[in-house]
Amino acid sequence: MKTKSVGIVKPLAVTLSEEIQLESGKSIDNVTIAYETYGKLNKEKNNAILVCHALTGDAHAAGWHEGDSKPGWWEIIIGPGKALDSEKYFIICSNVLGGCKGTTGPASINPETGKEYGIDFPVITLKDIVNVEKKLIDLLGIEKLLAVIGGSMGGMQTLQWTLSYPEMVKKAIPIATTARSSPQQIAFNEVGRQAIIKDPFWQNGEYYQTDKAPEAGLAVARMIAHITYLSDESMYLKFGRDLQDKDEVTYDFTTDFQVESYLHHQGKTFVKRFDANSYLYITKAIDLFDLSENGSLIDGFKPIKSKIEYINVDSDWLYTNEQAEEILRAMQANGIEISYSEIKSNYGHDAFLLEGGQLNYLISRFLQDNIVEDLMNTEVMTITEDAKIKKAAKIMMDHYVTHLPVVTEDNKLIGIITAWDLSKAIAQGGEELKDVMTEDVKFCKKDETIRTIAGRMKDDDISCLPVIDDNDELIGVITTDLISHLFTNTV
Ligand SMILES: CC(=O)SCCNC(=O)CCNC(=O)[C@H](O)C(C)(C)COP(=O)(O)OP(=O)(O)OC[C@H]1O[C@@H](n2cnc3c(N)ncnc32)[C@H](O)[C@@H]1OP(=O)(O)O
Ligand SMILES: N[C@@H](CCO)C(=O)O
């Protein structure tokens, strides 16, 4: 299928009528949320996907604003025919609390003073950011999100969603992220903050009414951060040790190397689009991010109910493979259904903004991954263990089934009988069902993915799995026939 863009999109905004209570104990009133949506919310309201942006992103994730020269920041995966297919899903992206792209932040007017908040803006956390996003989702009339997805700080919000609102998130896709900021990550952010704070134009955050802003400090903050978003290899490939606009070094402090010029460019363009105070607040929120419970991620992850596709980038040295593995282990220890994929890229951390092919493949595979409940047959013929083999054979013939789950009077699964068991029994002259039924019956749960159970069925060489609920009661069956229909219908 040819992929397209969502086209021209309109920025939207809503102002909350209620005060937001923050993790710090403070509160904030009159919060405006800037957001965009792509696609349509369906009648059942079960196709909504929330996209969470990274540190310096915004609500404009896809499509074009009138007069734009560049599309939204995740155009590579959002749009008709892409992983976040706007013809199937209703996609929402909002600017974070504390941001500077339409949602209330330090540059907004403090209703109490009539002046910009500056550093009177309260310190916020990722939990606060997610609570504000939840208000938007409520206002849109959505009770359950099909998925939450995001890279970097967007991945932190994604993980926070699965903990703050476990019942509301069916699937979660955290990418190139962490469950708690490491000392090294905090250290890089602190260098950036100090560059801003030490800029004489910062003036304790009160620069909005002056004609100067701490641009030099913010540019240095971006330069140091940007280094962490790339890999050493990508820097070699982009610049090597090539000189910028000169044939030989000049033994002074003008720009010698291309990489220096590139970083200056990144710093210079960044200050045109970002507010220094927002940078302080959002990096602080990232530093405070820690989903562990008394240091244990296993304890911290206990409330999670979502299915997770965790995507890591092999060359990301900011959010490392070790952190990803720690998350994976802690989720597995909690029995959370998690699949783990690694993007192969030399881009480094920012690969989550660039590797369209791999992202589209991994995300669409996960979103389309049906669960047993989507496919199982709930009108199941069953038999009790005191029945005779003849009765089982008659049920199988009349209803064209080859497997009969054996249940107790109160519908608890205790075995299974197959057409093969019956032929054996008849050949051996047996009459009692309990003599031939399989008691060590394999089963599955309704929220397991088809991918997982198909693997188990192949390994165990079985073609029918009874589906049971948490009380061991039979609620359906899933068969290889039903699964193969899935593939013939989607190809
Ligand atoms: C996540 C979100 O939510 S949105 C926020 C994400 N967006 C950003 O972070 C924007 C800034 N970041 C970037 O540009 C990131 O590197 C990416 C990942 C988005 C883009 O990566 P790439 O496509 O590989 O671009 P690259 O890093 O090579 O930068 C290209 C820019 O550097 C400039 N450049 C390249 N070499 C040099 C040089 N020697 N001297 C000066 N400038 C240079 C290019 O002219 C280009 O400028 P432009 O962006 O103003 O057009
Ligand atoms: N380059 C992205 C990723 C940061 O993690 C940004 O600036 O938001």
Side-chain angles (χ1 to χ4, degrees):
M1 181 184 180
K2 198 168 177 305
T3 60
K4 291 184 278 191
S5 173
V6 294
I8 298 290
V9 291
K10 280 211 177 84
L12 303 167
V14 66
T15 298
L16 301 177
S17 53
E18 76 231 81
E19 207 174 55
I20 301 289
Q21 298 303 319
L22 302 171
E23 224 184 333
S24 63
K26 294 193 172 166
S27 60
I28 183 160
D29 207 357
N30 272 52
V31 170
T32 294
I33 308 172
Y35 69 102
E36 290 187 10
T37 67
Y38 320 110
K40 284 203 179 83
L41 185 62
N42 63 12
K43 211 163 63 267
E44 298 79 22
K45 297 188 175 179
N46 62 7
N47 67 335
I49 296 182
L50 177 69
V51 171
C52 303
H53 70 70
L55 169 57
T56 74
D58 52 34
H60 184 38
W64 304 76
H65 291 162
E66 291 288 357
D68 267 0
S69 56
K70 275 186 188 171
W73 56 268
W74 231 357
E75 179 77 1
I76 54 168
I77 63 159
I78 303 173
K82 300 178 197 171
L84 303 188
D85 189 337
S86 50
E87 282 171 354
K88 269 196 209 159
Y89 307 121
F90 178 61
I91 301 142
I92 308 147
C93 182
S94 64
N95 184 213
V96 295
L97 179 68
C100 52
K101 299 291 178 145
T103 293
T104 301
S108 308
I109 300 297
N110 179 348
E112 280 177 21
T113 62
K115 281 186 3 185
E116 293 86 356
Y117 279 100
I119 58 161
D120 286 341
F121 195 77
V123 167
I124 49 161
T125 63
L126 263 302
K127 203 174 189 177
D128 299 328
I129 285 172
V130 163
N131 285 344
V132 168
E133 289 167 355
K134 155 82 162 54
K135 300 281 177 201
L136 173 65
I137 299 305
D138 290 346
L139 284 172
L140 294 171
I142 297 161
E143 285 179 9
K144 192 163 188 156
L145 289 161
L146 171 64
V148 181
I149 178 169
S152 197
M153 190 187 82
M156 297 175 202
Q157 290 160 74
T158 303
L159 289 170
Q160 184 67 60
W161 260 96
T162 66
L163 284 165
S164 293
Y165 303 104
E167 308 292 343
M168 277 185 75
V169 183
K170 202 168 166 201
K171 297 184 174 188
I173 312 174
I175 310 172
T177 194
T178 181
R180 54 180 156 193
S181 288
S182 70
Q184 191 190 53
Q185 289 151 1
I186 297 170
F188 278 118
N189 283 342
E190 176 58 4
V191 174
R193 282 192 297 268
Q194 285 304 314
I196 293 168
I197 288 168
K198 294 280 158 56
D199 184 319
F201 294 120
W202 181 61
Q203 299 184 78
N204 212 28
E206 291 191 27
Y207 51 84
Y208 298 112
Q209 298 301 328
T210 69
D211 58 357
K212 295 276 186 205
E215 291 187 351
L218 182 59
V220 172
R222 181 60 171 184
M223 286 162 72
I224 179 108
H226 195 76
I227 298 167
T228 69
Y229 305 153
L230 310 177
S231 70
D232 194 23
E233 187 185 356
S234 71
M235 282 190 167
Y236 263 106
L237 290 172
K238 273 187 211 279
F239 316 109
R241 286 183 52 84
D242 294 350
L243 300 180
Q244 180 76 30
D245 301 329
K246 44 173 93 158
D247 296 327
E248 44 193 49
V249 293
T250 46
Y251 299 98
D252 56 22
F253 293 104
T254 59
T255 302
D256 283 319
F257 296 100
Q258 279 187 11
V259 66
E260 297 173 85
S261 164
Y262 168 81
L263 283 179
H264 295 158
H265 176 81
Q266 293 295 339
K268 217 181 296 166
T269 49
F270 183 60
V271 301
K272 291 189 197 133
R273 70 175 179 92
F274 215 78
D275 174 49
N277 281 336
S278 271
Y279 197 87
L280 299 181
Y281 279 91
I282 300 177
T283 54
K284 180 54 82 177
I286 292 175
D287 291 357
L288 296 175
F289 185 62
D290 179 1
L291 294 180
S292 71
E293 195 71 48
N294 299 322
S296 160
L297 280 185
I298 297 181
D299 290 347
F301 285 164
K302 280 207 162 76
I304 296 179
K305 292 205 161 73
S306 320
K307 282 186 201 35
I308 315 265
E309 169 76 24
Y310 193 91
I311 303 179
N312 195 41
V313 177
D314 62 353
S315 56
D316 186 349
W317 58 274
L318 180 61
Y319 296 106
T320 59
N321 289 339
E322 288 71 25
Q323 282 181 313
E325 277 161 24
E326 195 190 13
I327 290 175
L328 181 67
R329 278 196 301 272
M331 290 208 174
Q332 284 170 336
N334 276 299
I336 295 163
E337 207 177 313
I338 176 168
S339 44
Y340 174 88
S341 310
E342 191 169 71
I343 293 180
K344 311 272 178 243
S345 172
N346 60 27
Y347 280 125
H349 175 66
D350 265 352
F352 79 93
L353 295 166
L354 295 162
E355 292 287 2
Q358 295 179 69
L359 284 165
N360 274 297
Y361 170 71
L362 295 171
I363 297 165
S364 54
R365 187 182 67 174
F366 179 63
L367 289 178
Q368 286 166 15
D369 204 357
N370 294 63
I371 57 171
V372 169
E373 190 178 20
D374 300 331
L375 287 189
M376 72 186 189
N377 179 6
T378 51
E379 283 166 22
V380 194
M381 298 311 303
T382 59
I383 195 157
T384 49
E385 94 180 298
D386 52 7
K388 301 279 182 216
I389 281 174
K390 212 167 158 190
K391 183 172 173 196
K394 175 132 181 43
I395 297 176
M396 282 188 183
M397 272 174 59
D398 290 351
H399 296 274
Y400 302 102
V401 289
T402 52
H403 295 75
L404 273 183
V406 185
V407 293
T408 58
E409 292 299 328
D410 51 359
N411 202 34
K412 295 223 157 84
L413 180 72
I414 51 167
I416 195 160
I417 180 111
T418 66
W420 173 246
D421 293 332
L422 282 191
S423 353
K424 256 191 336 195
I426 290 163
Q428 289 161 5
E431 276 189 11
E432 301 300 323
L433 194 69
K434 56 176 171 295
D435 296 338
V436 285
M437 76 179 204
T438 301
E439 285 177 28
D440 181 19
V441 55
K442 304 221 181 317
F443 59 84
C444 65
K445 297 283 179 84
K446 70 176 173 25
D447 48 7
E448 288 187 78
T449 62
I450 295 296
R451 194 152 39 120
T452 317
I453 63 127
R456 286 217 308 269
M457 288 169 91
K458 183 167 178 278
D459 291 347
D460 294 336
D461 196 19
I462 49 180
S463 58
C464 173
L465 267 187
V467 187
I468 60 166
D469 65 13
D470 290 340
N471 300 318
D472 296 341
E473 279 183 42
L474 183 79
I475 53 171
V477 290
I478 184 94
T479 62
T480 42
D481 264 6
L482 289 167
I483 296 174
S484 64
H485 276 303
L486 174 74
F487 294 106
T488 46
N489 287 341
T490 52
V491 169

